[in-house]
Amino acid sequence: MAGWLDRPVLNVLQTGLDASSLRQQVLSNNVANIDTPNFKRSDVNFQMALGAALGEESPVLQMKQTSPKHLSSMSAEIDGLGIVTDRTTSLRNDGNNVDIDREMANVAENGLYYNSLTRAISSQLGLMRMVIKG
C-alpha cells in the first residue's frame, strides 16, 4: 500500500506544484529587489523544470537563428532548476530590469496556475476515494 499514491498523473501534478512554488519565490525575489541597482529579473522555465523532473534530457525546443538580427537563444542564463535570468535588458539607468506591473501580472498568473493544479490533485484524490469506498 506504500505506492498507491505513486501514480504518473499525481507525480506530474506534484512537479507542477513544485515549479509553481519555485516561480512564486523567484517572482517575490524580483519584487523585493525592485530598487536594487543592477539587479536582473528571473523567472522559471516550466518546460525545463517539468522535463528535468520527468527525466527528459532536452525538454525545450531550440530555436533556429536564420538572421544575425534575431535574438540568440542563449541571451539568458539558465540554471539547473529551470530559473532563467534575463541579463539582456535594462529598464532604468541603474541597470535594474524589474517592471512591477509585469511582475504582479506574473504573480497573478502563477496563482491561477497553482489553484488549477490543486483542484486537479483534489479531483484525482476524490476519484481514488470513490474507488476505495466502492
Side-chain angles (χ1 to χ4, degrees):
M1 186 157 159
W4 67 277
L5 280 177
D6 191 25
R7 301 282 183 243
V9 172
L10 288 176
N11 290 338
V12 170
L13 292 172
Q14 177 185 355
T15 302
L17 284 176
D18 292 342
S20 182
S21 175
L22 176 62
R23 186 172 192 218
Q24 183 64 35
Q25 293 173 8
V26 169
L27 294 174
S28 296
N29 186 48
N30 291 344
V31 172
N33 286 290
I34 196 163
D35 291 326
T36 304
N38 297 315
F39 179 81
K40 300 299 181 185
R41 72 173 302 278
S42 298
D43 207 343
V44 174
N45 184 328
F46 276 108
Q47 295 163 332
M48 181 175 289
L50 183 60
L54 296 175
E56 296 176 11
E57 291 186 26
S58 181
V60 178
L61 295 175
Q62 298 299 318
M63 297 173 73
K64 185 175 182 180
Q65 186 175 1
T66 58
S67 168
K69 294 180 181 179
H70 290 168
L71 292 176
S72 169
S73 61
M74 290 303 192
S75 63
E77 294 178 8
I78 301 174
D79 74 359
L81 297 174
I83 298 176
V84 180
T85 303
D86 179 10
R87 299 199 181 277
T88 60
T89 60
S90 288
L91 294 177
R92 301 189 318 238
N93 289 336
D94 66 356
N96 190 310
N97 67 350
V98 178
D99 177 13
I100 191 66
D101 294 328
R102 179 180 180 185
E103 298 305 319
M104 296 313 291
N106 287 338
V107 167
E109 175 190 28
N110 190 53
L112 292 172
Y113 180 73
Y114 188 88
N115 287 339
S116 67
L117 288 174
T118 57
R119 284 190 198 124
I121 288 176
S122 178
S123 175
Q124 288 293 314
L125 294 176
L127 289 173
M128 285 185 184
R129 188 179 316 118
M130 187 171 55
V131 168
I132 291 170
K133 286 183 179 180

